[in-house]
Amino acid sequence: ENSVNNNFGNYHSSTITVRTLSDGDGSFATANDRTTKSWYLTIMKDATVIASGTDTLISVDSLAPGLYTVTQADSVGWEQLGKVIDGNATADSVNFTASINVQDGQVSEIIFVNKFVPDIYKFRTFKASSELTTKATKMTFLKATLGGGLKPGTEPNLSSVGENLFIRIGKAGATFLGIKQTDAAQAKLKGWIAYKKFSDLAKLYSAPHDGRAFPIDSLRVTGKKSKKLSKAIAASKKIYNNQIWEQGVMLNLNILASADSVTPKGFGSLLFDTTFTLIGRELKGLTLNQVKTYLDSLMTEYTVMGVDADVDYSNLGVFAQLLKRINESFYTTFAVGGENSKIDTAGVKLGAGQPSGKKNAYAVTLLGYKTVAEAGGGRLKKNTSARNEEYVLQPYGVSEVPSAFSLEQNYPNPFNPTTAISFQLSAVSNVTLKIYNVVGQEVATLINNESMDEGAHEVQFDASILSSGVYFYKLTTEEFTATKKMVLVK
């Protein structure tokens, strides 16, 4: 007997032990009857044959007791028979036996007994879409203490699910592409993409990306001087157009959503089942968690990894398209309830089971949509190992608190119509950030006396409604004030 992998569909060969063949009707009693025979596989559920191969699995000149390797034939074998099993299995698990037959005679020797578990587990993913930029709906229940339903107009949407994920992540936010630098000196040299709010992440998907794929090395804007990127970047589509950022952030989002149970568990442990070499490393057989980790290294440690030539950027671009298909493999449009989503009523009303213990107006999760067999398309495969990997959350920014307050020069500058304003806080502070014209009139308020944590921060300024000219931006806290000039050119 030989125990075989539980998933017939993923198993293409097995070593079997041939012991004593049954005499049966006497046809196979002598050594001569064991020579030059073609052996086939038959699978039975209980005593009923449900699948039988017609191609040779093993052909030997002398079938003596010992070890033999059974390999899938060209057209019929383990995989096809496994599909037949799947179609006949109605219970969660079914015991199957398999025997071999030779030519027209059935041999009663059983090769293996296997407990087959149908693949009924489904996954769910987000995909790169402007649907994510829709404002999240907060849920409100009628007659909460009496178990009333949702108040009309407060049904959740897909962005509500995203907000729920960020509530689970916490106020510190998380890194979604690249490697967070814990050393302040290194953070000035290397960049990574991170978000504290789902609405900020969604800005990366306001429109499809068609720009070339690059690591997190420098900002490339036509007609502008390139700038080296560093520290935590809350990337948006208005400033960055990069296909590998678009799909790499989405892969991290899908892995983290699965790890935090906002979508079904286990997405990060699925195996990459496509032959593809990414910057010198073959990815087939790696888990999506491992693929994510390798991509993060390429994005931030591009100098060490040697990502610095056109051929490398083209390789990243091809991989971005493959990631796009993976990210979309388990996607379906959002709907309330049924087999599509689940609202945690107690979490909305009472905060029961929520990370903060407080009411969560976004307590909705996505339910599974497709199995790997249905959605993988040859790109993914279930991981049958006993130990699955866990996603390791990278916090948002540099763990070292800045030693002083500072206000950075906006970039790009001059700009049209958007620019990024960065600043650092050495302590929790009430922050105000305003824009003024040349005669001192206030034209925009970006932050109004808002309490903000220590660390690095970045704010996007959209000057679409303003005229070309010189403007000033002023940062004010209890302990620090600074003003810098910027130029809007339309």
Side-chain angles (χ1 to χ4, degrees):
E1 293 185 1
N2 181 50
S3 177
V4 181
N5 189 299
N6 282 344
N7 189 343
F8 281 90
N10 290 338
Y11 213 84
H12 294 263
S13 66
S14 175
T15 299
I16 63 171
T17 302
V18 176
R19 294 182 297 184
T20 304
L21 294 178
S22 169
D23 286 348
D25 59 4
S27 299
F28 313 108
T30 66
N32 288 335
D33 291 319
R34 300 176 185 174
T35 61
T36 318
K37 302 296 184 182
S38 295
W39 297 75
Y40 309 97
L41 177 67
T42 299
I43 298 180
M44 294 163 286
K45 178 182 177 183
D46 299 326
T48 303
V49 175
I50 63 170
S52 184
T54 57
D55 288 344
T56 301
L57 291 177
I58 182 171
S59 180
V60 295
D61 292 333
S62 179
L63 192 60
L67 295 177
Y68 295 87
T69 298
V70 177
T71 303
Q72 177 182 328
D74 291 340
S75 59
V76 177
W78 300 100
E79 185 171 5
Q80 179 167 329
L81 294 177
K83 290 179 180 177
V84 174
I85 290 173
D86 200 356
N88 283 270
T90 57
D92 288 342
S93 62
V94 180
N95 286 319
F96 289 92
T97 61
S99 66
I100 52 176
N101 57 55
V102 56
Q103 295 180 348
D104 296 327
Q106 177 73 30
V107 178
S108 61
E109 170 74 1
I110 294 177
I111 300 176
F112 62 81
V113 177
N114 185 48
K115 184 176 182 180
F116 173 74
V117 180
D119 184 9
I120 60 175
Y121 193 73
K122 297 181 178 181
F123 295 89
R124 183 75 167 270
T125 52
F126 295 86
K127 73 173 184 178
S129 168
S130 60
E131 180 184 12
L132 298 175
T133 63
T134 302
K135 184 177 180 180
T137 303
K138 291 184 177 182
M139 291 179 284
T140 302
F141 277 82
L142 297 169
K143 302 178 181 177
T145 58
L146 302 178
L150 280 171
K151 180 179 179 181
T154 69
E155 293 82 4
N157 55 20
L158 186 61
S159 294
S160 302
V161 183
E163 293 290 352
N164 188 25
L165 172 61
F166 271 72
I167 287 174
R168 294 170 186 246
I169 292 173
K171 291 184 178 180
T175 297
F176 281 84
L177 188 64
I179 301 175
K180 175 186 71 69
Q181 300 300 302
T182 58
D183 178 77
Q186 288 297 308
K188 293 180 180 179
L189 303 174
K190 301 173 183 178
W192 61 99
I193 298 175
Y195 301 98
K196 291 186 176 182
K197 299 177 181 178
F198 177 74
S199 57
D200 288 338
L201 182 149
K203 292 176 183 177
L204 188 63
Y205 301 102
S206 59
H209 290 238
D210 54 13
R212 200 171 185 191
F214 293 103
I216 307 172
D217 53 1
S218 60
L219 176 61
R220 297 170 174 84
V221 178
T222 303
K224 303 292 183 181
K225 184 179 179 180
S226 178
K227 175 191 175 184
K228 181 177 177 62
L229 297 176
S230 62
K231 304 178 183 177
I233 302 164
S236 67
K237 176 60 172 62
K238 282 188 175 181
I239 297 180
Y240 304 97
N241 183 10
N242 188 318
Q243 295 181 50
I244 194 63
W245 290 20
E246 175 192 40
Q247 298 302 326
V249 168
M250 185 54 59
L251 175 66
N252 275 264
L253 174 67
N254 283 322
I255 290 175
L256 184 53
S258 176
D260 271 352
S261 299
V262 170
T263 60
K265 285 278 191 181
F267 179 75
S269 293
L270 295 180
L271 295 174
F272 192 89
D273 198 35
T274 300
T275 300
F276 188 87
T277 302
L278 178 61
I279 315 297
R281 181 175 183 180
E282 175 55 49
L283 300 184
K284 186 171 183 178
L286 299 182
T287 65
L288 291 183
N289 280 328
Q290 291 171 326
V291 171
K292 177 206 84 70
T293 299
Y294 181 59
L295 180 61
D296 286 338
S297 297
L298 295 176
M299 292 292 98
T300 295
E301 302 291 350
Y302 53 89
T303 301
V304 176
M305 307 294 284
V307 188
D308 55 9
D310 284 346
V311 64
D312 301 321
Y313 306 145
S314 296
N315 186 221
L316 285 173
V318 175
F319 183 61
Q321 294 307 305
L322 181 55
L323 276 187
K324 181 177 187 292
R325 293 193 290 272
I326 289 175
N327 285 324
E328 295 179 358
S329 291
F330 304 94
Y331 172 83
T332 188
T333 54
F334 179 82
V336 179
E339 296 181 353
N340 193 286
S341 63
K342 181 180 179 181
I343 297 172
D344 178 7
T345 305
V348 178
K349 296 177 180 178
L350 308 172
Q354 296 301 302
S356 65
K358 300 179 181 179
K359 293 181 180 180
N360 178 5
Y362 303 110
V364 57
T365 56
L366 298 177
L367 301 180
Y369 174 54
K370 288 183 178 180
T371 66
V372 173
E374 292 169 336
R379 294 182 292 272
L380 298 173
K381 184 169 68 174
K382 285 290 290 294
N383 187 351
T384 57
S385 65
R387 180 180 178 273
N388 290 335
E389 303 166 38
E390 291 297 327
Y391 180 94
V392 178
L393 177 68
Q394 293 188 57
Y396 176 92
V398 184
S399 60
E400 182 176 324
V401 176
S403 58
F405 290 86
S406 66
L407 177 63
E408 310 296 334
Q409 184 62 53
N410 67 299
Y411 189 86
N413 186 46
F415 67 99
N416 177 31
T418 59
T419 188
I421 300 173
S422 301
F423 57 92
Q424 295 192 42
L425 305 176
S426 59
V428 176
S429 305
N430 291 325
V431 176
T432 297
L433 180 60
K434 294 185 176 184
I435 312 296
Y436 299 87
N437 61 20
V438 290
V439 296
Q441 295 172 321
E442 180 184 322
V443 296
T445 299
L446 304 184
I447 304 174
N448 186 22
N449 197 33
E450 180 180 337
S451 177
M452 302 185 73
D453 295 332
E454 66 269 27
H457 300 270
E458 182 178 279
V459 177
Q460 302 296 324
F461 173 48
D462 187 339
S464 299
I465 64 173
L466 299 180
S467 302
S468 297
V470 175
Y471 293 87
F472 298 87
Y473 57 99
K474 181 178 181 181
L475 178 74
T476 305
T477 73
E478 301 95 325
E479 303 177 23
F480 176 79
T481 298
T483 303
K484 288 185 178 293
K485 182 175 70 174
M486 58 185 175
V487 180
L488 172 62
V489 179
K490 290 189 174 181

